[in-house]
Amino acid sequence: MKHIKKLASLCLALVMVCTMAVTAFAAGGTGTITVDNAVKGQTYTIYEILKLESYDTASNAYAYKATTAWTNFINSDAIKGKYVNVDAQGYVTWIEGKSAADFAKLAQAYAKTNSIGHQGSTKATGDTVKFTDLELGYYLLDSSLGTLCSLNTTKPNVTIKEKNAEPTNVKTVEEDSTGNYGEKNDADIGQTVNFKSTITAQAGAENYVFHDKMSTGLTFNGSVSVTLNGETVDSSNYTFRDYTAEGVTTPTDGCTFEVVFTEAFCNSLQANDKIVISYSATVNENAVVGGNGNSNTSKLSYGDTTNIKTTPDSTTKTYTWSFDVLKYGNGDETKVLEGAKFVLLNKDKTKVATIVNGKLTGWVDVPTAGTDGTITWPANTTLTTSEQGKIDIAGLDADTYYLREVEAPKGYNKLTNDFEVTIAPTEGTDANGNKTLTLPSVTAKVNNQSGTELPSTGGMGTTLFYIIGGVLVVGAGVLLITKKRMSSDK
């Protein structure tokens, strides 16, 4: 048919999307389309968009018309004249240079929005999916992982390879002492902790929504930034939903926040594109001390709205630690001392900890000493040993600290030097192979020596009065007894 253009360009464009080579088409009969390397558990659905009426292999000419279900789509303003030309008789030709992938995305959306009937739908139970008894034509093959397009051929059996894959999400947290990101870190209560979640996208991305859930020991700081392959993504490409904001209802899955990517952004993604979402939180007074740490979990939901999938949870742990002080006297740990007063200094001795109810609330500058050498310590920095000689301090990063005694118990000498305390957790793995930190109980045992009564020299002082008084009492007693005897002799 003279007015029908060759569709070789259409076939070549579709090769990029379908990852297959097409050279010719058969007239009449039926064929099969097999998806190789299918992803188990994903649903594959096939739609016939164009019917192949006839072809001429010698001249490489093809005659296509839209199927009844797809006539409105092919003739829509979004398609006709932009991706294909349609003549007066309804024959369809591809416009050279147009993106088959973009066409496929529009077709996919049209099928869903208009509930277009399909020619087969099946869930992969293995690594192969096969559609049989198909008319020869131009098919859209849609999967919950993305979009594939296929043209069946004169073989008449066609195999296409599923190159789409499930997206992944990996969450990491920064260890402030090294600047490195990994599965775990430790921090002070009140400290800001930085997180990154890296999404490895796949072609045919649909409905990407990032979900993040923080445990009660972490307070989300209320903002995110997003990059794609290292370049900043404008916020117009996603909606940020902060469920910690006042008056916002938390979703049923308990997410702290979500990032919902637009359809246009998802359509632009290619296989193995890297989306990095960065955000931070503050370790708060509700933080679990030691133990299993404070978790932050993220995941990505994606896929066809009728078959939403999620990546496995990716979790980081933020730990905070504690130690206690045992104050005792004269080398005897059973002789505990009440009333000793300390402050806790950082490693550089430039900051002093503020502590309320046994938990760290922050750090302030060490005050400058007065002209007489004394220091007035800020509120909530002085810690006093209990009746049991104890002080408990929780909410600390792994680091070196110093206890400075600012007032000794009565009768005991104040320490000359600061007492060093080191918090050094050890790395391990849990039953699932996740990296963990553990810290045995840390007790800072601080000894004080008491003074003794000093010897005296010089006058007798009051001792002489005690001796004279004793002699007088004894003498009075002897005199009294003597008088009674003399009276009785008379």
Side-chain angles (χ1 to χ4, degrees), residues 240-287:
F240 168 55
R241 298 173 178 169
D242 181 3
Y243 296 114
T244 66
E246 185 176 354
V248 177
T249 303
T250 303
T252 55
D253 64 359
C255 281
T256 303
F257 71 89
E258 294 176 345
V259 178
V260 183
F261 293 97
T262 64
E263 182 180 0
F265 179 78
C266 290
N267 289 345
S268 71
L269 295 173
Q270 303 298 316
N272 299 317
D273 277 351
K274 302 293 185 185
I275 304 167
V276 177
I277 303 174
S278 301
Y279 45 102
S280 64
T282 301
V283 184
N284 63 43
E285 67 278 3
N286 298 315

mmCIF file of all heavy atoms in Angstrom, residues 240-287:
data_model
loop_
_atom_site.group_PDB
_atom_site.id
_atom_site.type_symbol
_atom_site.label_atom_id
_atom_site.label_comp_id
_atom_site.label_asym_id
_atom_site.label_seq_id
_atom_site.Cartn_x
_atom_site.Cartn_y
_atom_site.Cartn_z
ATOM 1 N N PHE A 240 7.085 16.608 49.849
ATOM 2 C CA PHE A 240 7.612 16.226 51.161
ATOM 3 C C PHE A 240 6.484 16.276 52.175
ATOM 4 O O PHE A 240 5.843 17.311 52.352
ATOM 5 C CB PHE A 240 8.743 17.182 51.546
ATOM 6 C CG PHE A 240 9.190 17.086 52.978
ATOM 7 C CD1 PHE A 240 9.594 15.874 53.517
ATOM 8 C CD2 PHE A 240 9.213 18.213 53.784
ATOM 9 C CE1 PHE A 240 10.012 15.791 54.835
ATOM 10 C CE2 PHE A 240 9.628 18.148 55.101
ATOM 11 C CZ PHE A 240 10.024 16.928 55.621
ATOM 12 N N ARG A 241 6.229 15.150 52.839
ATOM 13 C CA ARG A 241 5.169 15.067 53.834
ATOM 14 C C ARG A 241 5.784 14.847 55.212
ATOM 15 O O ARG A 241 6.294 13.763 55.504
ATOM 16 C CB ARG A 241 4.216 13.902 53.511
ATOM 17 C CG ARG A 241 3.485 14.046 52.185
ATOM 18 C CD ARG A 241 2.703 12.777 51.865
ATOM 19 N NE ARG A 241 1.942 12.897 50.624
ATOM 20 C CZ ARG A 241 1.345 11.866 50.019
ATOM 21 N NH1 ARG A 241 1.443 10.645 50.558
ATOM 22 N NH2 ARG A 241 0.677 12.046 48.902
ATOM 23 N N ASP A 242 5.737 15.874 56.037
ATOM 24 C CA ASP A 242 6.310 15.808 57.381
ATOM 25 C C ASP A 242 5.186 15.496 58.372
ATOM 26 O O ASP A 242 4.361 16.355 58.670
ATOM 27 C CB ASP A 242 6.977 17.136 57.726
ATOM 28 C CG ASP A 242 7.624 17.131 59.105
ATOM 29 O OD1 ASP A 242 7.603 16.073 59.767
ATOM 30 O OD2 ASP A 242 8.150 18.186 59.508
ATOM 31 N N TYR A 243 5.172 14.280 58.894
ATOM 32 C CA TYR A 243 4.100 13.861 59.803
ATOM 33 C C TYR A 243 4.374 14.264 61.253
ATOM 34 O O TYR A 243 3.567 13.959 62.129
ATOM 35 C CB TYR A 243 3.879 12.357 59.696
ATOM 36 C CG TYR A 243 3.386 11.955 58.329
ATOM 37 C CD1 TYR A 243 4.173 11.167 57.487
ATOM 38 C CD2 TYR A 243 2.150 12.375 57.864
ATOM 39 C CE1 TYR A 243 3.728 10.809 56.228
ATOM 40 C CE2 TYR A 243 1.702 12.023 56.603
ATOM 41 C CZ TYR A 243 2.494 11.244 55.788
ATOM 42 O OH TYR A 243 2.058 10.899 54.536
ATOM 43 N N THR A 244 5.501 14.947 61.488
ATOM 44 C CA THR A 244 5.757 15.459 62.839
ATOM 45 C C THR A 244 5.234 16.889 62.989
ATOM 46 O O THR A 244 5.228 17.429 64.089
ATOM 47 C CB THR A 244 7.263 15.456 63.165
ATOM 48 O OG1 THR A 244 7.937 16.399 62.321
ATOM 49 C CG2 THR A 244 7.864 14.080 62.947
ATOM 50 N N ALA A 245 4.830 17.502 61.882
ATOM 51 C CA ALA A 245 4.337 18.878 61.935
ATOM 52 C C ALA A 245 3.018 18.946 62.693
ATOM 53 O O ALA A 245 2.229 17.991 62.702
ATOM 54 C CB ALA A 245 4.162 19.424 60.522
ATOM 55 N N GLU A 246 2.781 20.070 63.328
ATOM 56 C CA GLU A 246 1.581 20.244 64.145
ATOM 57 C C GLU A 246 0.320 20.087 63.302
ATOM 58 O O GLU A 246 0.189 20.656 62.219
ATOM 59 C CB GLU A 246 1.596 21.627 64.796
ATOM 60 C CG GLU A 246 0.454 21.856 65.771
ATOM 61 C CD GLU A 246 0.550 23.198 66.477
ATOM 62 O OE1 GLU A 246 1.582 23.889 66.285
ATOM 63 O OE2 GLU A 246 -0.384 23.550 67.192
ATOM 64 N N GLY A 247 -0.605 19.287 63.794
ATOM 65 C CA GLY A 247 -1.893 19.120 63.132
ATOM 66 C C GLY A 247 -1.909 18.113 62.003
ATOM 67 O O GLY A 247 -2.948 17.892 61.383
ATOM 68 N N VAL A 248 -0.759 17.482 61.730
ATOM 69 C CA VAL A 248 -0.697 16.496 60.650
ATOM 70 C C VAL A 248 -0.897 15.107 61.227
ATOM 71 O O VAL A 248 -0.253 14.721 62.197
ATOM 72 C CB VAL A 248 0.650 16.577 59.905
ATOM 73 C CG1 VAL A 248 0.724 15.496 58.825
ATOM 74 C CG2 VAL A 248 0.826 17.955 59.300
ATOM 75 N N THR A 249 -1.797 14.354 60.625
ATOM 76 C CA THR A 249 -2.091 13.003 61.102
ATOM 77 C C THR A 249 -1.044 12.027 60.596
ATOM 78 O O THR A 249 -0.735 11.982 59.404
ATOM 79 C CB THR A 249 -3.486 12.548 60.625
ATOM 80 O OG1 THR A 249 -4.451 13.490 61.084
ATOM 81 C CG2 THR A 249 -3.813 11.160 61.154
ATOM 82 N N THR A 250 -0.497 11.238 61.493
ATOM 83 C CA THR A 250 0.498 10.238 61.121
ATOM 84 C C THR A 250 -0.177 9.094 60.378
ATOM 85 O O THR A 250 -1.246 8.640 60.776
ATOM 86 C CB THR A 250 1.199 9.692 62.375
ATOM 87 O OG1 THR A 250 1.783 10.774 63.075
ATOM 88 C CG2 THR A 250 2.277 8.687 62.005
ATOM 89 N N PRO A 251 0.410 8.601 59.290
ATOM 90 C CA PRO A 251 -0.198 7.491 58.550
ATOM 91 C C PRO A 251 -0.211 6.207 59.365
ATOM 92 O O PRO A 251 0.480 6.094 60.387
ATOM 93 C CB PRO A 251 0.698 7.358 57.314
ATOM 94 C CG PRO A 251 2.008 7.941 57.735
ATOM 95 C CD PRO A 251 1.680 9.034 58.712
ATOM 96 N N THR A 252 -0.985 5.242 58.881
ATOM 97 C CA THR A 252 -1.159 3.997 59.636
ATOM 98 C C THR A 252 0.140 3.220 59.798
ATOM 99 O O THR A 252 0.278 2.448 60.736
ATOM 100 C CB THR A 252 -2.204 3.101 58.955
ATOM 101 O OG1 THR A 252 -1.820 2.896 57.583
ATOM 102 C CG2 THR A 252 -3.579 3.751 58.983
ATOM 103 N N ASP A 253 1.088 3.412 58.879
ATOM 104 C CA ASP A 253 2.345 2.671 59.026
ATOM 105 C C ASP A 253 3.319 3.371 59.969
ATOM 106 O O ASP A 253 4.440 2.908 60.161
ATOM 107 C CB ASP A 253 3.001 2.428 57.660
ATOM 108 C CG ASP A 253 3.417 3.722 56.960
ATOM 109 O OD1 ASP A 253 3.184 4.805 57.520
ATOM 110 O OD2 ASP A 253 3.966 3.635 55.842
ATOM 111 N N GLY A 254 2.891 4.486 60.569
ATOM 112 C CA GLY A 254 3.703 5.151 61.579
ATOM 113 C C GLY A 254 4.884 5.925 61.053
ATOM 114 O O GLY A 254 5.798 6.264 61.815
ATOM 115 N N CYS A 255 4.884 6.261 59.763
ATOM 116 C CA CYS A 255 6.018 6.986 59.178
ATOM 117 C C CYS A 255 6.215 8.342 59.839
ATOM 118 O O CYS A 255 5.255 9.019 60.197
ATOM 119 C CB CYS A 255 5.805 7.194 57.678
ATOM 120 S SG CYS A 255 6.170 5.730 56.702
ATOM 121 N N THR A 256 7.468 8.728 59.957
ATOM 122 C CA THR A 256 7.816 10.069 60.431
ATOM 123 C C THR A 256 7.661 11.077 59.296
ATOM 124 O O THR A 256 7.155 12.173 59.489
ATOM 125 C CB THR A 256 9.247 10.089 60.966
ATOM 126 O OG1 THR A 256 9.369 9.118 62.017
ATOM 127 C CG2 THR A 256 9.624 11.460 61.501
ATOM 128 N N PHE A 257 8.109 10.694 58.103
ATOM 129 C CA PHE A 257 7.925 11.542 56.918
ATOM 130 C C PHE A 257 7.962 10.671 55.666
ATOM 131 O O PHE A 257 8.394 9.520 55.703
ATOM 132 C CB PHE A 257 8.974 12.655 56.841
ATOM 133 C CG PHE A 257 10.375 12.187 56.507
ATOM 134 C CD1 PHE A 257 10.801 12.088 55.192
ATOM 135 C CD2 PHE A 257 11.257 11.857 57.518
ATOM 136 C CE1 PHE A 257 12.073 11.655 54.880
ATOM 137 C CE2 PHE A 257 12.549 11.430 57.220
ATOM 138 C CZ PHE A 257 12.954 11.325 55.897
ATOM 139 N N GLU A 258 7.504 11.253 54.555
ATOM 140 C CA GLU A 258 7.518 10.586 53.260
ATOM 141 C C GLU A 258 7.959 11.569 52.182
ATOM 142 O O GLU A 258 7.753 12.781 52.310
ATOM 143 C CB GLU A 258 6.137 10.037 52.897
ATOM 144 C CG GLU A 258 5.662 8.915 53.796
ATOM 145 C CD GLU A 258 4.247 8.461 53.481
ATOM 146 O OE1 GLU A 258 3.520 9.189 52.753
ATOM 147 O OE2 GLU A 258 3.860 7.380 53.960
ATOM 148 N N VAL A 259 8.554 11.044 51.127
ATOM 149 C CA VAL A 259 8.878 11.825 49.937
ATOM 150 C C VAL A 259 8.198 11.140 48.760
ATOM 151 O O VAL A 259 8.508 9.982 48.445
ATOM 152 C CB VAL A 259 10.403 11.913 49.707
ATOM 153 C CG1 VAL A 259 10.702 12.692 48.430
ATOM 154 C CG2 VAL A 259 11.087 12.566 50.900
ATOM 155 N N VAL A 260 7.256 11.844 48.132
ATOM 156 C CA VAL A 260 6.470 11.283 47.027
ATOM 157 C C VAL A 260 6.981 11.906 45.727
ATOM 158 O O VAL A 260 6.839 13.120 45.503
ATOM 159 C CB VAL A 260 4.974 11.579 47.202
ATOM 160 C CG1 VAL A 260 4.167 10.932 46.085
ATOM 161 C CG2 VAL A 260 4.483 11.099 48.564
ATOM 162 N N PHE A 261 7.564 11.101 44.856
ATOM 163 C CA PHE A 261 8.128 11.612 43.607
ATOM 164 C C PHE A 261 7.058 11.712 42.530
ATOM 165 O O PHE A 261 6.148 10.879 42.448
ATOM 166 C CB PHE A 261 9.271 10.709 43.136
ATOM 167 C CG PHE A 261 10.468 10.759 44.044
ATOM 168 C CD1 PHE A 261 10.666 9.791 45.018
ATOM 169 C CD2 PHE A 261 11.384 11.792 43.937
ATOM 170 C CE1 PHE A 261 11.756 9.842 45.870
ATOM 171 C CE2 PHE A 261 12.480 11.856 44.788
ATOM 172 C CZ PHE A 261 12.666 10.887 45.743
ATOM 173 N N THR A 262 7.162 12.746 41.700
ATOM 174 C CA THR A 262 6.169 12.974 40.661
ATOM 175 C C THR A 262 6.302 11.931 39.550
ATOM 176 O O THR A 262 7.354 11.299 39.374
ATOM 177 C CB THR A 262 6.328 14.371 40.042
ATOM 178 O OG1 THR A 262 7.603 14.444 39.376
ATOM 179 C CG2 THR A 262 6.245 15.454 41.109
ATOM 180 N N GLU A 263 5.236 11.790 38.776
ATOM 181 C CA GLU A 263 5.247 10.853 37.658
ATOM 182 C C GLU A 263 6.307 11.257 36.634
ATOM 183 O O GLU A 263 7.023 10.405 36.096
ATOM 184 C CB GLU A 263 3.872 10.807 37.004
ATOM 185 C CG GLU A 263 3.786 9.817 35.848
ATOM 186 C CD GLU A 263 2.417 9.773 35.197
ATOM 187 O OE1 GLU A 263 1.515 10.523 35.647
ATOM 188 O OE2 GLU A 263 2.243 9.018 34.236
ATOM 189 N N ALA A 264 6.417 12.567 36.391
ATOM 190 C CA ALA A 264 7.403 13.037 35.416
ATOM 191 C C ALA A 264 8.823 12.686 35.854
ATOM 192 O O ALA A 264 9.664 12.289 35.031
ATOM 193 C CB ALA A 264 7.267 14.547 35.222
ATOM 194 N N PHE A 265 9.102 12.827 37.134
ATOM 195 C CA PHE A 265 10.426 12.472 37.638
ATOM 196 C C PHE A 265 10.671 10.977 37.479
ATOM 197 O O PHE A 265 11.747 10.562 37.022
ATOM 198 C CB PHE A 265 10.545 12.876 39.107
ATOM 199 C CG PHE A 265 11.877 12.530 39.720
ATOM 200 C CD1 PHE A 265 12.995 13.303 39.482
ATOM 201 C CD2 PHE A 265 12.012 11.415 40.544
ATOM 202 C CE1 PHE A 265 14.229 12.979 40.045
ATOM 203 C CE2 PHE A 265 13.230 11.084 41.106
ATOM 204 C CZ PHE A 265 14.342 11.874 40.858
ATOM 205 N N CYS A 266 9.689 10.157 37.853
ATOM 206 C CA CYS A 266 9.835 8.702 37.705
ATOM 207 C C CYS A 266 10.060 8.320 36.247
ATOM 208 O O CYS A 266 10.875 7.441 35.937
ATOM 209 C CB CYS A 266 8.600 7.990 38.247
ATOM 210 S SG CYS A 266 8.435 8.063 40.053
ATOM 211 N N ASN A 267 9.364 8.988 35.332
ATOM 212 C CA ASN A 267 9.515 8.685 33.907
ATOM 213 C C ASN A 267 10.917 8.986 33.402
ATOM 214 O O ASN A 267 11.375 8.385 32.415
ATOM 215 C CB ASN A 267 8.502 9.482 33.084
ATOM 216 C CG ASN A 267 7.088 8.975 33.274
ATOM 217 O OD1 ASN A 267 6.862 7.879 33.784
ATOM 218 N ND2 ASN A 267 6.118 9.773 32.864
ATOM 219 N N SER A 268 11.595 9.904 34.066
ATOM 220 C CA SER A 268 12.936 10.304 33.614
ATOM 221 C C SER A 268 14.029 9.359 34.088
ATOM 222 O O SER A 268 15.165 9.446 33.616
ATOM 223 C CB SER A 268 13.250 11.713 34.104
ATOM 224 O OG SER A 268 13.473 11.724 35.519
ATOM 225 N N LEU A 269 13.699 8.472 35.005
ATOM 226 C CA LEU A 269 14.727 7.633 35.618
ATOM 227 C C LEU A 269 15.186 6.522 34.683
ATOM 228 O O LEU A 269 14.383 5.909 33.972
ATOM 229 C CB LEU A 269 14.197 7.022 36.917
ATOM 230 C CG LEU A 269 13.887 8.024 38.031
ATOM 231 C CD1 LEU A 269 13.210 7.319 39.198
ATOM 232 C CD2 LEU A 269 15.148 8.743 38.492
ATOM 233 N N GLN A 270 16.472 6.270 34.741
ATOM 234 C CA GLN A 270 17.076 5.186 33.976
ATOM 235 C C GLN A 270 17.589 4.116 34.945
ATOM 236 O O GLN A 270 17.692 4.349 36.151
ATOM 237 C CB GLN A 270 18.235 5.712 33.125
ATOM 238 C CG GLN A 270 17.847 6.822 32.167
ATOM 239 C CD GLN A 270 16.816 6.377 31.144
ATOM 240 O OE1 GLN A 270 16.941 5.294 30.577
ATOM 241 N NE2 GLN A 270 15.805 7.206 30.915
ATOM 242 N N ALA A 271 17.909 2.956 34.389
ATOM 243 C CA ALA A 271 18.388 1.859 35.230
ATOM 244 C C ALA A 271 19.633 2.280 35.999
ATOM 245 O O ALA A 271 20.558 2.869 35.435
ATOM 246 C CB ALA A 271 18.694 0.634 34.367
ATOM 247 N N ASN A 272 19.599 2.004 37.305
ATOM 248 C CA ASN A 272 20.721 2.226 38.222
ATOM 249 C C ASN A 272 21.007 3.694 38.508
ATOM 250 O O ASN A 272 22.080 4.030 39.029
ATOM 251 C CB ASN A 272 21.988 1.527 37.720
ATOM 252 C CG ASN A 272 21.798 0.033 37.612
ATOM 253 O OD1 ASN A 272 21.223 -0.585 38.504
ATOM 254 N ND2 ASN A 272 22.247 -0.557 36.514
ATOM 255 N N ASP A 273 20.062 4.577 38.206
ATOM 256 C CA ASP A 273 20.182 5.954 38.689
ATOM 257 C C ASP A 273 20.188 5.951 40.219
ATOM 258 O O ASP A 273 19.481 5.155 40.853
ATOM 259 C CB ASP A 273 19.005 6.804 38.202
ATOM 260 C CG ASP A 273 19.211 7.333 36.791
ATOM 261 O OD1 ASP A 273 20.319 7.183 36.258
ATOM 262 O OD2 ASP A 273 18.241 7.888 36.226
ATOM 263 N N LYS A 274 20.960 6.858 40.797
ATOM 264 C CA LYS A 274 21.084 6.928 42.255
ATOM 265 C C LYS A 274 20.358 8.162 42.791
ATOM 266 O O LYS A 274 20.737 9.295 42.497
ATOM 267 C CB LYS A 274 22.553 6.994 42.678
ATOM 268 C CG LYS A 274 23.394 5.814 42.206
ATOM 269 C CD LYS A 274 22.989 4.516 42.865
ATOM 270 C CE LYS A 274 23.926 3.389 42.455
ATOM 271 N NZ LYS A 274 23.489 2.086 42.988
ATOM 272 N N ILE A 275 19.330 7.924 43.580
ATOM 273 C CA ILE A 275 18.614 8.994 44.266
ATOM 274 C C ILE A 275 19.071 8.965 45.725
ATOM 275 O O ILE A 275 18.921 7.942 46.402
ATOM 276 C CB ILE A 275 17.096 8.788 44.207
ATOM 277 C CG1 ILE A 275 16.618 8.649 42.762
ATOM 278 C CG2 ILE A 275 16.365 9.934 44.899
ATOM 279 C CD1 ILE A 275 15.183 8.144 42.652
ATOM 280 N N VAL A 276 19.607 10.068 46.216
ATOM 281 C CA VAL A 276 20.072 10.131 47.604
ATOM 282 C C VAL A 276 19.222 11.152 48.358
ATOM 283 O O VAL A 276 19.133 12.319 47.964
ATOM 284 C CB VAL A 276 21.559 10.505 47.706
ATOM 285 C CG1 VAL A 276 21.985 10.619 49.171
ATOM 286 C CG2 VAL A 276 22.415 9.476 46.983
ATOM 287 N N ILE A 277 18.584 10.687 49.428
ATOM 288 C CA ILE A 277 17.763 11.542 50.281
ATOM 289 C C ILE A 277 18.526 11.754 51.585
ATOM 290 O O ILE A 277 18.850 10.793 52.286
ATOM 291 C CB ILE A 277 16.393 10.903 50.542
ATOM 292 C CG1 ILE A 277 15.686 10.606 49.225
ATOM 293 C CG2 ILE A 277 15.524 11.819 51.405
ATOM 294 C CD1 ILE A 277 14.389 9.836 49.380
ATOM 295 N N SER A 278 18.821 13.022 51.906
ATOM 296 C CA SER A 278 19.598 13.351 53.098
ATOM 297 C C SER A 278 18.720 14.103 54.096
ATOM 298 O O SER A 278 17.904 14.948 53.703
ATOM 299 C CB SER A 278 20.806 14.225 52.728
ATOM 300 O OG SER A 278 21.641 13.564 51.797
ATOM 301 N N TYR A 279 18.894 13.804 55.380
ATOM 302 C CA TYR A 279 18.104 14.439 56.421
ATOM 303 C C TYR A 279 18.788 14.199 57.761
ATOM 304 O O TYR A 279 19.819 13.507 57.827
ATOM 305 C CB TYR A 279 16.662 13.903 56.446
ATOM 306 C CG TYR A 279 16.546 12.401 56.340
ATOM 307 C CD1 TYR A 279 16.300 11.615 57.454
ATOM 308 C CD2 TYR A 279 16.690 11.771 55.110
ATOM 309 C CE1 TYR A 279 16.191 10.245 57.360
ATOM 310 C CE2 TYR A 279 16.576 10.392 55.004
ATOM 311 C CZ TYR A 279 16.334 9.636 56.121
ATOM 312 O OH TYR A 279 16.223 8.267 56.028
ATOM 313 N N SER A 280 18.254 14.789 58.821
ATOM 314 C CA SER A 280 18.903 14.670 60.131
ATOM 315 C C SER A 280 17.867 14.580 61.242
ATOM 316 O O SER A 280 16.685 14.851 61.041
ATOM 317 C CB SER A 280 19.835 15.862 60.380
ATOM 318 O OG SER A 280 19.099 17.076 60.438
ATOM 319 N N ALA A 281 18.342 14.185 62.408
ATOM 320 C CA ALA A 281 17.496 14.083 63.606
ATOM 321 C C ALA A 281 18.359 14.406 64.816
ATOM 322 O O ALA A 281 19.593 14.366 64.750
ATOM 323 C CB ALA A 281 16.895 12.692 63.734
ATOM 324 N N THR A 282 17.695 14.725 65.918
ATOM 325 C CA THR A 282 18.391 15.001 67.178
ATOM 326 C C THR A 282 18.100 13.871 68.167
ATOM 327 O O THR A 282 16.947 13.457 68.322
ATOM 328 C CB THR A 282 17.917 16.337 67.777
ATOM 329 O OG1 THR A 282 18.179 17.379 66.833
ATOM 330 C CG2 THR A 282 18.641 16.638 69.080
ATOM 331 N N VAL A 283 19.146 13.368 68.815
ATOM 332 C CA VAL A 283 18.961 12.366 69.864
ATOM 333 C C VAL A 283 18.322 13.074 71.054
ATOM 334 O O VAL A 283 18.848 14.078 71.552
ATOM 335 C CB VAL A 283 20.304 11.736 70.271
ATOM 336 C CG1 VAL A 283 20.079 10.629 71.298
ATOM 337 C CG2 VAL A 283 21.027 11.180 69.048
ATOM 338 N N ASN A 284 17.160 12.568 71.507
ATOM 339 C CA ASN A 284 16.431 13.275 72.555
ATOM 340 C C ASN A 284 16.449 12.525 73.890
ATOM 341 O O ASN A 284 17.049 11.450 74.012
ATOM 342 C CB ASN A 284 14.994 13.569 72.107
ATOM 343 C CG ASN A 284 14.186 12.312 71.858
ATOM 344 O OD1 ASN A 284 14.244 11.351 72.622
ATOM 345 N ND2 ASN A 284 13.410 12.299 70.780
ATOM 346 N N GLU A 285 15.768 13.104 74.877
ATOM 347 C CA GLU A 285 15.795 12.561 76.245
ATOM 348 C C GLU A 285 15.116 11.205 76.356
ATOM 349 O O GLU A 285 15.278 10.509 77.373
ATOM 350 C CB GLU A 285 15.142 13.541 77.220
ATOM 351 C CG GLU A 285 13.650 13.748 77.049
ATOM 352 C CD GLU A 285 13.290 14.732 75.956
ATOM 353 O OE1 GLU A 285 14.218 15.230 75.267
ATOM 354 O OE2 GLU A 285 12.082 15.004 75.780
ATOM 355 N N ASN A 286 14.350 10.810 75.334
ATOM 356 C CA ASN A 286 13.697 9.499 75.353
ATOM 357 C C ASN A 286 14.573 8.394 74.774
ATOM 358 O O ASN A 286 14.119 7.256 74.638
ATOM 359 C CB ASN A 286 12.380 9.561 74.575
ATOM 360 C CG ASN A 286 11.396 10.540 75.186
ATOM 361 O OD1 ASN A 286 11.217 10.565 76.396
ATOM 362 N ND2 ASN A 286 10.786 11.372 74.352
ATOM 363 N N ALA A 287 15.775 8.736 74.408
ATOM 364 C CA ALA A 287 16.658 7.768 73.757
ATOM 365 C C ALA A 287 16.927 6.567 74.659
ATOM 366 O O ALA A 287 17.127 6.708 75.869
ATOM 367 C CB ALA A 287 17.976 8.432 73.376
#
